[in-house]
Amino acid sequence: MKTIGLLGGMSWESTREYYNILNKLTHAQFGGSNSCPCIIHSFNFKIIDDLQHQGKWQELAELLIDAAKNLELSGAQILMICTNTMHIVADKIESEIGIPLIHIVDAVASDINSRGIKTVGLLGTRFTMEKDFFSGRLKEKHDISCLIPSQEERELIHRVIYNELIQGLILPESKLRYLKIIENLKAKGAEGIILGCTEIPLLIKQEDTSLPIFDSTGIHAQAAFSVAIDNN
């Protein structure tokens, strides 16, 4: 099994989920005392958070590129960015390393296409919903159309992520607000919903809605695991 490099700490709550999923998949596949060989670079999210809200994406790219190179030098054979938002700089990171980067959008798109769905709603940080690195890649590479919530709804989603979920706060009233947004996207034509922030699956589960839910964290981890156990 190949060693997986994880760019984590964005936030540590979701990185913990990645670590948990990867190890459960490894144990299920190989049994016994097997666990996932991985190397984690865990950022102080306060630094990442501040730079994101200042719009300093080049500075962020440089931080992640340095960490990715260090993971490769430490023995990582494939790389994951354990957050949707920082895939904004995925292409820059990929161009600077010599190991495969498992892109979260491609992993999610594969799952969506396997269900025959062509229009999805996207929940995520304001950056993920409003910039085109996610929805644009879905459309251009995978022919999947993406609906996003209204501006007021986007602000609410973003606020809950940064003020609650990354701090481990799971509030029932926020869950109800998210579910209302999902219903609004369904009314606009969404056939499924992407949980396009690695913290949102802490709040929203498949049993909460009749629409198919695409949990980007779980899907991304499964995609990386599949590459890690592929002998080719």
Side-chain angles (χ1 to χ4, degrees), residues 93-229:
I93 296 170
E94 194 168 26
S95 69
E96 296 288 339
I97 59 175
I99 56 177
L101 185 151
I102 311 302
H103 201 294
I104 200 166
V105 176
D106 297 338
V108 171
S110 178
D111 217 35
I112 293 168
N113 279 326
S114 74
R115 302 283 293 273
I117 290 173
K118 286 300 179 184
T119 303
V120 291
L122 174 63
L123 306 184
T125 66
R126 186 173 69 243
F127 314 117
T128 298
M129 292 184 288
E130 295 178 357
K131 294 181 180 293
D132 68 354
F133 75 94
F134 201 113
S135 59
R137 191 179 181 102
L138 275 180
K139 185 62 178 176
E140 292 162 16
K141 289 196 67 175
H142 305 285
D143 195 28
I144 298 168
S145 298
C146 198
L147 304 174
I148 63 171
S150 69
Q151 182 175 349
E152 182 180 355
E153 291 171 333
R154 295 197 301 272
E155 291 298 327
L156 184 147
I157 293 166
H158 186 87
R159 187 167 61 251
V160 167
I161 291 168
Y162 280 89
N163 294 348
E164 299 172 20
L165 299 182
I166 68 169
Q167 299 178 41
L169 297 175
I170 312 299
L171 303 181
E173 56 267 32
S174 296
K175 181 172 187 171
L176 289 174
R177 292 185 181 119
Y178 269 49
L179 290 174
K180 174 61 176 173
I181 293 169
I182 288 171
E183 286 302 308
N184 290 343
L185 289 168
K186 180 180 179 181
K188 293 177 183 177
E191 304 168 81
I193 299 293
I194 300 172
L195 304 186
C197 170
T198 48
E199 280 78 28
I200 296 179
L202 303 173
L203 184 68
I204 299 297
K205 310 294 184 186
Q206 180 59 74
E207 59 263 28
D208 296 322
T209 176
S210 61
L211 281 179
I213 289 291
F214 297 95
D215 169 1
S216 61
T217 304
I219 294 168
H220 195 204
Q222 176 66 67
F225 175 76
S226 296
V227 173
I229 62 172

